[in-house]
Amino acid sequence: MKIDLTDTTSSKINKALVQGRRAIGTPAVGMVLTLVIVTDEENAYDALRAANEASREHPSRKLVVIKRVSRSPRDRAKARLDAEVRVGADAGTGETVILRLRGEVIDHAQSVVLPLLLPDAPVVVWWPVNAPTDPASDPLGALAQRRVTDTYNAEDPVSELAARAEAYTPGDTDLSWTRITPWRSMLAAALDQVACQVISAEVEGEEFNPSVELLAMWLADRLGVAVRRTTSTGPGLTAVRLETDCGPIVLDRPDGSLATLCVQGQPDRAVALKRRDTAELIAEELRRLDPDDTYASALRYGVARLGQGSGQGAAHEVSGSGAGRGSAPAEGAGAPDGSASGAGGSGAGGSASGGGSASGGAGEGEASDGSDAAAAQAAAPSAKSGAKKAPAKKAAAK
């Protein structure tokens, strides 16, 4: 059943909803939440269709807010609200109200939406396109417990991710993050099956796809290793490669449907990783209305830090010291490049991280006296074939 209302008010829309429920014989309100969709005329149909499909799992009242652009100053000075009320089979599972705002009322959309919210039910606001940089400070976003955006439709997704990280508020989420849920589950399950330590990682996907950056940031944040982001022709995410101390782990999906999981020492397995449509993504987000702390941590990691690593692993890459996730030498042993690692990093000649001094030996270019000779003789048994020890032995002989 459809009811058209021209130049109306929120009070008249509420009366039309009650009238429609009585006409179809369902006076009770059996909905679990209010979904507010803020979009434009071009994307309204696709967004509403996705919301109707998601409402089979989450019966809801759907409020579609369409802000119409007025072309003349006279029209912009007038405030007008047109509505279309749908109940029954035309609204999926729940109720649908399409609100078209014109003129000055565009700047006060929250005053139109507020009287139409279901009492004592959570509110979710979804921006399919043109989402604000700070959804929580938006007048409509302030009404919601959960705010859903989609950086995939942004002009510059990477810059958009950086802006969202700065303005993040608990309750914010993004469909680009929802798209990688199966990937995160599969990678976590693969790592649980092996007792290996991850050394580095690589995430491959099409350009201008924020899901690739989010997955790379999640891996870097959780594993504390350097993660490289590489480009492919798509579709979407195509591969994740984890280098571990017991062999590589590869999750490869070249066709956007079926992926192959390769783990060292195990047979290759085919796993279903089909690209999901918007209705499935919205349905997943509506299953949980609490803040997503994992998304917040990955988002705040930052795109600029990808490939740099973090924590002890990064320290090892820079100075060769510490117990990072690499092939660090044993304590007190000389490194191949002449530098020492761990507790044995300082010798009689000064710091071992400098220009080629060995652990426990005299530094290059140091003057030799009795104490130097004694130190060289004490260190000689542990470095019989070390090339760096030869000058110290000759000086002691003299």
Side-chain angles (χ1 to χ4, degrees):
M1 180 178 181
K2 296 182 181 180
I3 303 174
D4 290 326
L5 302 173
T6 304
D7 198 5
T8 186
T9 62
S10 297
S11 177
K12 293 179 181 179
I13 296 172
N14 266 322
K15 291 179 181 178
L17 285 170
V18 175
Q19 176 187 348
R21 287 199 301 269
R22 288 177 178 174
I24 64 176
T26 56
V29 179
M31 288 159 285
V32 298
L33 57 89
T34 303
L35 176 61
V36 182
I37 306 171
V38 186
T39 182
D40 52 19
E41 199 73 59
E42 179 183 358
N43 298 279
Y45 174 80
D46 292 335
L48 183 56
R49 183 178 62 179
N52 284 336
E53 293 180 10
S55 68
R56 298 174 183 174
E57 184 177 342
H58 309 279
S60 57
R61 174 177 288 180
K62 299 171 287 294
L63 306 178
V64 184
V65 180
I66 303 174
K67 300 180 179 181
R68 301 290 295 269
V69 178
S70 301
R71 300 184 179 277
S72 65
R74 182 182 304 170
D75 293 336
R76 287 194 291 269
K78 297 179 181 179
R80 177 176 169 178
L81 170 64
D82 296 335
E84 180 182 338
V85 178
R86 300 179 183 179
V87 294
D90 294 320
T93 304
E95 303 170 342
T96 300
V97 180
I98 302 176
L99 305 170
R100 289 182 171 85
L101 283 61
R102 296 178 174 85
E104 294 180 348
V105 73
I106 290 178
D107 299 326
H108 306 281
Q110 73 279 6
S111 62
V112 177
V113 170
L114 186 59
L116 301 176
L117 301 179
L118 289 172
D120 302 325
V123 180
V124 179
V125 179
W126 172 33
W127 289 270
V129 292
N130 302 324
T133 303
D134 187 359
S137 64
D138 185 84
L140 286 173
L143 303 175
Q145 286 80 31
R146 192 79 162 162
R147 296 164 292 275
V148 184
T149 58
D150 193 355
T151 53
Y152 185 80
N153 296 319
E155 184 71 23
D156 188 353
V158 176
S159 299
E160 194 77 10
L161 286 176
R164 296 285 164 78
E166 295 179 359
Y168 175 81
T169 302
D172 294 352
T173 190
D174 196 275
L175 294 186
S176 296
W177 172 256
T178 315
R179 290 184 179 95
I180 64 174
T181 300
W183 286 81
R184 294 189 292 119
S185 301
M186 192 60 60
L187 291 171
L191 289 174
D192 284 341
Q193 297 173 9
V194 294
C196 301
Q197 194 171 28
V198 180
I199 301 172
S200 64
E202 177 185 352
V203 180
E204 180 185 272
E206 64 183 357
E207 195 175 4
F208 305 117
N209 190 329
S211 296
V212 183
E213 271 78 16
L214 283 171
L215 182 58
M217 290 189 290
W218 174 71
L219 287 172
D221 179 54
R222 290 297 169 180
L223 299 177
V225 299
V227 180
R228 292 193 304 129
R229 196 266 199 234
T230 57
T231 303
S232 68
T233 57
L237 275 160
T238 52
V240 175
R241 301 176 183 88
L242 303 178
E243 293 294 335
T244 71
D245 54 5
C246 55
I249 298 175
V250 180
L251 183 59
D252 188 18
R253 187 191 67 176
D255 59 355
S257 178
L258 190 66
T260 303
L261 177 62
C262 305
V263 181
Q264 188 75 17
Q266 300 181 12
D268 295 350
R269 286 171 287 176
V271 294
L273 275 181
K274 182 182 178 181
R275 301 190 73 192
R276 299 180 294 171
D277 57 18
T278 307
E280 294 178 84
L281 302 177
I282 286 294
E284 179 183 330
E285 285 300 332
L286 296 181
R287 290 185 197 122
R288 53 173 299 172
L289 300 178
D290 55 321
D292 192 342
D293 296 332
T294 307
Y295 166 70
S297 180
L299 185 67
R300 287 169 174 165
Y301 181 86
V303 180
R305 294 175 59 189
L306 288 180
Q308 298 178 4
S310 62
Q312 295 178 342
H316 173 73
E317 292 175 4
V318 175
S319 63
S321 62
R325 290 180 174 86
S327 55
E331 181 176 342
D337 60 353
S339 62
S341 173
S346 60
S351 173
S353 62
S357 60
S359 174
E364 290 183 0
E366 292 288 340
S368 174
D369 56 11
S371 60
D372 289 338
Q377 292 174 359
S382 62
K384 294 180 179 180
S385 60
K388 298 295 182 179
K389 302 294 183 179
K393 289 182 180 180
K394 292 180 179 179
K398 294 178 182 180

